[in-house]
Amino acid sequence: MKESDKDLGMNTAITRRDFVHTAALASLGAFLPIGCSPQADPGSTVNTSAGYPPLRTGMRGAHPGSFEAAHALARSGVEFGNARTLDEEYDVVIVGAGISGLTAAYEYQKRFGADARILILDNHDDFGGHAKRNEFEVDGQTLLSWGGTMNLEYLSFSPAVLGFLDELGIDVEGLNKDLTFQYGGDKPSIWFDEQSYGESVLVKDFSMYGRNLDVLDVIRDFPLSVEGKTALYTFYTEERNVLEGMSEEAIHRVLHQTSYTDFLRDFGGLPNDAVSLFIKSMDGYWGIQTPCLSAAEAMKSWLPGAHLLGPHAAKVTPAIESEQVAMFPDGNASIARLLVHALIPSVADNVTADNVALARFAYDKLDEAGSSVRIRLNSTVVRVQNRDGGVEASYVNAGEVVGVRARHCVLACYHAIIPFLCPDLPEHQKEAQRYQVKHPMLLTNVLIKDASPLNDLDITGVYCPGRMHAKVWKIEGVDTAGYSAGAAESGPVSLMFWGMVAPPTHDGPLQEQLRAARHHLLGLTFDDFEREVRTVLDGLLGPAGFDVQTDILAITVNRWPHGYSYSYMDLWDPEWAAGEAPHEIARKPFGNISIANADAAASAYTQAAIEQAMRAVAELT
Ligand SMILES: Cc1cc2nc3c(=O)[nH]c(=O)nc-3n(C[C@H](O)[C@H](O)[C@H](O)COP(=O)(O)OP(=O)(O)OC[C@H]3O[C@@H](n4cnc5c(N)ncnc54)[C@H](O)[C@@H]3O)c2cc1C
C-alpha cells in the first residue's frame, strides 16, 4: 500500500486543476468578511479548455467562484449594498439555470410569446444545475460522463412531462432500448481496502443488492470476524418470517420506524462488522446512509431482507420505475442542452435529441445583446423584491453588484437560499424553505490511461464499504444520442467514483446531519479527493499492473453540497396534512415572484423540476 503523497504520484502533472476566474474572484473578495474569502484551488492554472466548461477538470459542481457570494449572504449576513442598475428590461428574470429554470423559460415563451424577454441567472460557469456534463478529450476522442443527474425514470412520468420531452424530440423508450449500462457495472464486486480492513481483498461477483443466494461461497473471503461471516451466511440463506404473530401496528413499526441497520441487527441477526458492510450501500442512490433509512425504504431500494418478512415481503418490493430508465451519455445535461438550444438556437447548428450528445455549444452566444433569451452565468442573485408592479433583482457578477428589472420573477434556485434573497416573505414560508436541506452528493470522474487492469481483474465495478466514494465503475453502455464510446476493452477509459460524504455522526436530526456533511464536503480540498482517488486505484488496480504515478490522466470532482432535494423520510418526518407540508408552503407565489425547483415537490427527480417549473409559470399573472 502506497501511503506517501510522493509514492501516490500527487506531484504528477495531470489535468486536474481548476480554471478559475482569478480576476473575478479577487474582486469578489472585496465584499466578503474576513474568513470568507473566495476559495481558490491552490496551484490553479489556466486549463486549455477554459472556454468550454464541460471540458474543465479539477473542482467542479460547486466550483470555486460559484458559492462565495451566496455564503457571504447566508452565512455571514453580508449586505450587498446598492446595485448598478443595468439598462436592460425583461419580462421575466429566472434565478437558476437548472432543468427547472430552463423549463420555466421554455414554458414562459409558450405562455407569454416567443419574443418575451427572458434573463436566466446562474451562479455556476455552466448551465444545467445538477444536470451537468463532464467531458474528457484524449487522443482526439471525446469521453462523456455525468457531472450530476443521470437517468430518467420515465415509467413514473406524468403525461405533461412526457409531452414536454416529446416536444424536445426525446424518445425515452428508444433511449432505454439502446442502453446496456448497469449502475455499478455488470460484474459487481466488493473491494475491502487495506486501510479500513487490514488487508486488501477483492471479492468478485458479489452484489450488495438482492439476496445473492447463488454466490454465497464468496462470503468466506470477506475480511470480517468468523461470527460476522457466519451470521451473514445465515442471514442470506435462512427463510423466516420475523413478523409472525405481530399486529399490523407492530409490523408498521418494524418496517417504517426501524432503521435498516437496526433491522439487520435485531431481526437479521447480524453483528456490527457485518452490519457495517451495508452502511454505504445507498450513498449514491439516496444521498443518506442506511442508519438513516427505514427498513422498508432500504428494501424497496433492493437491499436484502424481504425474505425475512413472510407474506409481508410484497410491502417492500422495489418499484419497476427505478429499474427501467432512459439515459443520455451525459445524463440529463442533454435535456438542459436541448432546452438551451430551443431558447437560443444560435448556440449550435442542427441539434436534435438524436445527436445532442456530440454537439459543441458556443458559450459566447448564451448572453448576447439582441437575443430575446439570455443566460448569464457566474451571476449569483443576492436580492429579489416586488417593486412598482414588477420585480427588481440584484446579482453579483465579476465582483460587481448589478440590478435588473422585470415584470416577473421565477425563483428556480434551491429553497434554502430564498429567505436570504427575499427577506420580506412571510415568516412561516421562510421557515418552510429552511426545512428543505438538500442531501450533499459527490461524483468524481477519473480518466485512466488504459482499461486493461480492470479487464484483467474481470471487474466492471466495485462497492467500496471502507472508502469515501461508495462505488467505482467503468463508464460504458450509454451509447445514445449520437455518442458511441465502444466497449472500452483497452485504451483510455473514464471511471465514475460515486457517492456522498458521510456526516461526522448519525446522531441528531437528519437536517443537522445533512448540514454537517455539507460542511465537511466543502472543507475538503481538491488534493483530498485526488489522494483518495489515487489510494483507491493503487490498492484496487495496482495488483493488475496499474501504475498510480503514471496511469491517471485527469480528475474531475463534481461536488454538490446542495444535491438531492429533501424528501420526506419514514424515520425523520411526520405525516403532513394536505397543504401543510413544508414544500407546499415554501412554493407559494409572492406578488410577481413564483417559486419552482425540484424542492417545490420535495422530490429529487428531473420530472419534479420540470413539473414545478410548469406550475410556477402558470401562477404568474
Ligand atoms: C448528483 C445528483 C444525481 C442525480 N441523479 C438523478 C437522476 O439520475 N435522475 C433524476 O431524475 N434526478 C436526479 N437527480 C435530481 C435532479 O438532478 C434534480 O431534481 C433536478 O436536476 C433539479 O433541477 P432544478 O433546476 O430544480 O435544481 P438545480 O439543478 O439545483 O438548479 C438550480 C440552479 O440554481 C442555482 N442557484 C441557486 N441559488 C442561486 C442564486 N442565488 N443565484 C443564481 N443561481 C442560483 C443553482 O446553483 C443551480 O445551478 C440528481 C441530483 C444530483 C445532485
Side-chain angles (χ1 to χ4, degrees):
M1 182 174 68
K2 297 188 173 68
E3 287 191 57
S4 74
D5 280 2
K6 187 162 173 284
D7 288 347
L8 285 169
M10 287 288 290
N11 53 344
T12 17
I14 57 165
T15 47
R16 61 196 164 114
R17 302 297 184 202
D18 284 326
F19 166 73
V20 179
H21 297 281
T22 320
L25 282 176
S27 50
L28 176 62
F31 293 110
L32 307 180
I34 292 165
C36 197
S37 59
Q39 202 189 73
D41 189 15
S44 293
T45 57
V46 175
N47 186 325
T48 47
S49 60
Y52 192 59
L55 271 175
R56 289 179 191 154
T57 57
M59 195 71 96
R60 304 296 293 154
H63 58 77
S66 66
F67 56 87
E68 293 81 357
H71 286 184
L73 178 76
R75 292 179 171 187
S76 312
V78 168
E79 300 262 351
F80 279 87
N82 289 336
R84 174 176 67 87
T85 305
L86 287 186
D87 188 19
E88 293 174 9
E89 280 273 332
Y90 293 94
D91 291 299
V92 64
V93 59
I94 296 174
V95 182
I99 296 276
S100 208
L102 295 170
T103 305
Y106 182 84
E107 294 294 314
Y108 194 92
Q109 275 190 333
K110 281 208 270 182
R111 178 149 180 233
F112 293 96
D115 54 357
R117 292 155 306 160
I118 299 175
L119 176 67
I120 307 173
L121 298 165
D122 197 282
N123 55 318
H124 292 104
D125 63 10
D126 198 356
F127 57 80
H130 297 149
K132 286 275 179 2
R133 151 194 180 102
N134 286 175
E135 290 185 32
F136 291 126
E137 244 177 34
V138 55
D139 302 337
Q141 191 193 2
T142 295
L143 295 178
L144 294 180
S145 50
W146 316 274
T149 313
M150 299 178 189
N151 67 30
L152 296 168
E153 297 184 13
Y154 63 90
L155 290 181
S156 61
F157 287 5
S158 64
V161 172
L162 287 172
F164 168 83
L165 295 177
D166 195 46
E167 277 175 38
L168 293 176
I170 298 172
D171 167 15
V172 281
E173 281 178 354
L175 286 171
N176 169 266
K177 258 200 259 103
D178 292 341
L179 209 62
T180 55
F181 167 84
Q182 283 185 30
Y183 277 97
D186 60 353
K187 295 176 192 161
S189 310
I190 306 185
W191 177 56
F192 298 91
D193 66 289
E194 191 177 340
Q195 267 174 354
S196 316
Y197 290 91
E199 56 180 321
S200 170
V201 181
L202 174 64
V203 180
K204 290 200 280 183
D205 302 323
F206 187 89
S207 164
M208 295 306 292
Y209 307 116
R211 203 171 152 199
N212 275 311
L213 263 182
D214 46 350
V215 286
L216 285 172
D217 280 357
V218 300
I219 287 176
R220 80 166 67 89
D221 297 332
F222 287 9
L224 302 181
S225 65
V226 173
E227 187 206 5
K229 289 196 274 194
T230 312
L232 263 181
Y233 188 88
T234 311
F235 168 69
Y236 279 114
T237 49
E238 268 192 9
E239 201 137 339
R240 292 179 286 141
N241 179 4
V242 299
L243 305 176
E244 182 91 59
M246 286 190 191
S247 66
E248 277 304 314
E249 201 190 332
I251 291 171
H252 187 271
R253 248 198 326 272
V254 172
L255 294 182
H256 296 280
Q257 295 302 314
T258 309
S259 73
Y260 182 62
T261 41
D262 282 349
F263 176 86
L264 291 176
R265 250 181 234 111
D266 300 345
F267 299 93
L270 297 186
N272 281 340
D273 66 340
V275 170
S276 70
L277 260 192
F278 292 87
I279 287 182
K280 290 182 71 67
S281 58
M282 283 289 132
D283 277 19
Y285 184 75
W286 273 100
I288 56 178
Q289 305 200 307
T290 51
C292 297
L293 293 176
S294 71
E297 285 163 342
M299 290 181 220
K300 281 184 180 180
S301 313
W302 308 281
L303 287 182
H307 62 287
L308 303 184
L309 305 182
H312 302 281
K315 293 187 168 125
V316 298
T317 307
I320 178 74
E321 289 87 346
S322 335
E323 298 190 12
Q324 190 166 329
V325 301
M327 255 177 141
F328 288 97
D330 57 1
N332 295 331
S334 276
I335 300 183
R337 282 154 63 85
L338 286 167
L339 279 165
V340 168
H341 182 254
L343 295 165
I344 309 173
S346 58
V347 287
D349 290 335
N350 304 319
V351 175
T352 69
D354 295 329
N355 65 18
V356 62
L358 293 185
R360 185 81 179 230
F361 276 36
Y363 277 70
D364 58 349
K365 301 285 181 199
L366 292 179
D367 189 9
E368 280 197 321
S371 169
S372 58
V373 180
R374 301 177 73 167
I375 299 176
R376 193 160 295 160
L377 299 172
N378 301 304
S379 301
T380 303
V381 175
V382 289
R383 183 55 61 94
V384 177
Q385 283 166 296
N386 284 298
R387 276 278 163 81
D388 308 328
V391 290
E392 272 180 17
S394 43
Y395 60 92
V396 178
N397 174 288
E400 189 188 14
V401 188
V402 183
V404 282
R405 283 192 52 80
R407 188 173 148 208
H408 295 129
C409 174
V410 177
L411 295 175
C413 50
Y414 52 86
H415 286 188
I417 191 78
I418 295 177
F420 302 99
L421 308 185
C422 306
D424 299 340
L425 279 172
E427 199 48 49
H428 75 288
Q429 188 167 0
K430 289 192 281 187
E431 199 181 314
Q433 288 160 348
R434 279 185 221 113
Y435 193 89
Q436 301 181 292
V437 183
K438 298 249 201 200
H439 301 191
M441 301 294 299
L442 178 64
L443 274 78
T444 303
N445 283 306
V446 181
L447 178 67
I448 60 170
K449 219 182 239 175
D450 193 56
S452 306
L454 288 149
N455 298 328
D456 292 350
L457 291 171
D458 196 28
I459 53 171
T460 51
V462 287
Y463 170 56
C464 311
R467 303 306 312 184
M468 176 197 285
H469 301 85
K471 286 189 187 147
V472 181
W473 74 78
K474 186 162 72 164
I475 299 180
E476 59 186 356
V478 198
D479 293 345
T480 54
Y483 176 77
S484 172
E489 287 309 320
S490 63
V493 67
S494 35
L495 305 179
M496 161 69 68
F497 284 62
W498 195 48
M500 56 172 274
V501 163
T505 158
H506 289 301
D507 294 334
L510 182 60
Q511 276 111 335
E512 276 174 30
Q513 293 185 36
L514 295 170
R515 285 193 194 99
R518 178 198 306 161
H519 203 258
H520 182 193
L521 179 62
L522 273 169
L524 294 172
T525 64
F526 180 81
D527 281 358
D528 295 323
F529 294 107
E530 179 178 358
R531 193 172 293 110
E532 174 63 18
V533 162
R534 287 182 178 279
T535 304
V536 167
L537 291 181
D538 177 54
L540 177 67
L541 303 182
F546 183 86
D547 182 343
V548 73
Q549 299 197 351
T550 57
D551 291 352
I552 296 175
L553 301 180
I555 300 176
T556 305
V557 177
N558 300 277
R559 62 171 175 189
W560 296 110
H562 302 274
Y564 288 162
S565 289
Y566 190 85
S567 53
Y568 305 122
M569 310 291 301
D570 282 350
L571 301 181
W572 306 98
D573 301 286
E575 296 264 341
W576 307 98
E580 286 176 24
H583 70 285
E584 293 169 306
I585 299 168
R587 71 188 183 199
K588 289 203 185 313
F590 182 58
N592 296 307
I593 302 167
S594 69
I595 298 180
N597 193 281
D599 282 358
S603 168
Y605 285 102
T606 297
Q607 62 271 31
I610 294 169
E611 275 169 348
Q612 294 308 313
M614 291 172 169
R615 177 199 45 76
V617 171
E619 281 172 359
L620 295 171
T621 52

